[in-house]
């Protein structure tokens, strides 16, 4: 099967499939270590961001979920389905679960990794310009000082013009070396744009399936931006299994990576399979 957004994350011979949703801005590599540890339990498939890999532009989380709905149906025509949603993939996974349920399919589990998201990146912070979230992202990820740019003025320009300008600035600063890297940077920022503006309008709707929530540690330096993206009592009409964030180990916050990986895999095995 050849689909531009479908990635096999392990080489399992198991009958059970698990579909792992991409985060805002793309990426399913977060699941790789877990996929390797679950090879005896399930085949894990990554569902990548179609705005990067299939030139698909979406305006809402339901529209994005519908794209993934069609992909999943090609792989596994009938349920029950298991969905994984890491960090900002959580809202996509829940919306996809609702669409599958409406279509008469059974979703046995939605597994969420993390209960809080960056309020600026998800569009939940107030009174920000249309592109300010990109300043926030680039400053945090690459330590770029972009304060000299007129972010309010960008609101009057088309999306492609603003993103092309930001790519040009990063090239001048030496962050981008060649045309290939320019194309990648453009695609990633466009993906972030679509997710940001889709998620700022999105409200989570209660799902009709079991939900497993494995929480993540949020560093104190990010607490002022990290906001819960749902209310637990409004998450599901079925069973919610909640696992608190593990005890913090210096400089490590990702529960899908060592030193938390073994514990996370054990929780998945006991609560999902």
């Amino acid at each position: 099967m050849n689909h531009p957004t479908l990635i096999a994350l392990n080489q399992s011979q198991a009958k059970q499939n698990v579909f792992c949703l991409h985060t805002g801005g793309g990426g399913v590599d977060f699941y790789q270590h877990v996929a390797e540890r679950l090879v005896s339990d399930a085949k894990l498939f990554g569902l990548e961001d179609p705005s990067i890999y299939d030139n698909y532009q979406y305006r809402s989380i339901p529209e994005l979920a519908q794209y993934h709905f069609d992909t999943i149906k090609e792989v596994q025509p009938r349920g029950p389905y298991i969905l994984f949603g890491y960090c900002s993939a959580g809202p996509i996974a829940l919306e996809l679960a609702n669409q599958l349920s409406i279509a008469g399919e059974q979703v046995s589990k939605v597994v969420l990794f993390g209960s809080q998201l960056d309020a600026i990146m998800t569009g939940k912070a107030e009174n920000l310009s249309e592109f300010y979230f990109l300043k926030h992202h680039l400053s945090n990820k690459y330590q770029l000082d972009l304060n000299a740019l007129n972010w309010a003025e960008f609101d009057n320009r088309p999306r492609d013009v603003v993103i092309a300008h930001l790519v040009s600035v990063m090239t001048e600063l030496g962050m981008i070396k060649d045309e290939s890297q320019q194309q990648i940077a453009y695609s990633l920022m466009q993906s972030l744009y679509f997710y940001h503006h889709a998620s700022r309008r999105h409200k989570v709707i209660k799902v009709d399936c079991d939900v497993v929530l494995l929480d993540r540690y949020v560093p104190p330096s990010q607490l002022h931006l990290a906001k819960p993206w749902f209310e637990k009592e409004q998450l599901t009409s079925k069973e919610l299994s909640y696992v608190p964030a593990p005890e913090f180990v210096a400089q490590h916050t990702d529960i899908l990576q060592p030193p938390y990986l073994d514990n996370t895999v054990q929780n998945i095995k006991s609560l999902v399979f």
Side-chain angles (χ1 to χ4, degrees):
M1 182 175 298
N2 183 21
H3 197 285
T5 63
L6 185 70
I7 299 174
L9 296 175
N10 63 15
Q11 299 301 316
S12 175
Q13 300 302 311
K15 294 182 179 180
Q16 178 66 60
N17 295 323
V18 174
F19 297 96
C20 306
L21 280 302
H22 63 88
T23 56
V28 295
D29 54 321
F30 316 100
Y31 304 104
Q32 192 64 60
H33 289 308
V34 168
E36 293 167 359
R37 298 294 186 92
L38 295 178
V39 70
S40 63
D41 301 281
K43 298 176 186 177
L44 269 69
F45 293 95
L47 297 174
E48 259 293 9
D49 189 330
S51 71
I52 298 175
Y53 294 92
D54 199 21
N55 197 30
Y56 178 80
Q57 299 184 12
Y58 61 91
R59 294 165 294 179
S60 69
I61 296 298
E63 192 176 351
L64 174 59
Q66 180 62 56
Y67 180 98
H68 293 309
F69 177 103
D70 295 338
T71 303
I72 284 177
K73 282 288 194 173
E74 291 183 27
V75 179
Q76 181 182 330
R78 300 304 303 270
Y81 297 96
I82 297 176
L83 308 176
F84 281 9
Y86 172 84
C87 193
S88 57
I92 310 171
L94 290 175
E95 175 60 30
L96 180 54
N98 273 323
Q99 292 190 14
L100 287 165
S101 295
I102 291 171
E105 298 292 354
Q106 179 188 357
V107 180
S108 58
K109 289 281 194 308
V110 175
V111 183
L112 305 175
F113 303 94
S115 64
Q116 300 185 73
L117 297 176
D118 187 315
I120 293 178
M121 288 307 299
T122 54
K124 304 304 182 184
E126 299 294 331
N127 301 321
L128 296 178
S129 67
E130 182 178 358
F131 295 96
Y132 182 85
F133 73 97
L134 284 175
K135 174 181 182 294
H136 173 72
H137 171 75
L138 295 172
S139 298
N140 285 350
K141 187 168 185 177
Y142 303 109
Q143 289 74 54
L144 293 179
D145 183 0
L146 300 174
N147 289 316
L149 299 179
N150 190 339
W151 293 90
E153 175 61 27
F154 286 163
D155 289 354
N156 300 318
R157 300 182 184 179
R159 178 192 72 248
D160 56 341
V161 172
V162 173
I163 294 177
H165 180 69
L166 293 174
V167 170
S168 176
V169 169
M170 294 178 69
T171 302
E172 292 174 2
L173 292 173
M175 298 293 299
I176 297 175
K177 305 299 184 183
D178 54 38
E179 185 175 345
S180 175
Q181 291 184 357
Q182 288 178 340
Q183 293 174 349
I184 292 171
Y186 184 95
S187 295
L188 291 176
M189 279 192 272
Q190 179 171 253
S191 170
L192 285 169
Y193 180 93
F194 289 139
Y195 182 84
H196 170 84
H197 288 283
S199 63
R200 74 188 302 176
R201 297 186 293 269
H202 185 65
K203 183 177 181 180
V204 172
I205 299 174
K206 184 181 292 187
V207 295
D208 187 32
C209 64
D210 292 346
V211 174
V212 176
L213 171 57
L214 306 177
D215 223 341
R216 303 168 62 226
Y217 175 81
V218 179
S221 61
Q222 298 179 18
L223 284 174
H224 67 295
L225 292 175
K227 305 295 182 184
W229 55 273
F230 57 79
E231 298 178 12
K232 288 179 185 175
E233 61 273 15
Q234 296 297 319
L235 199 54
T236 177
S237 59
K238 298 292 182 63
E239 181 180 356
L240 172 62
S241 301
Y242 176 69
V243 180
E247 184 176 349
F248 178 62
V249 179
Q251 298 183 351
H252 299 281
T253 62
D254 189 349
I255 61 173
L256 300 189
Q257 303 289 336
Y260 311 114
L261 179 62
D262 288 342
N263 186 58
T264 297
V265 170
Q266 182 179 348
N267 284 324
I268 293 173
K269 284 177 174 285
S270 64
L271 294 171
V272 178
F273 301 111

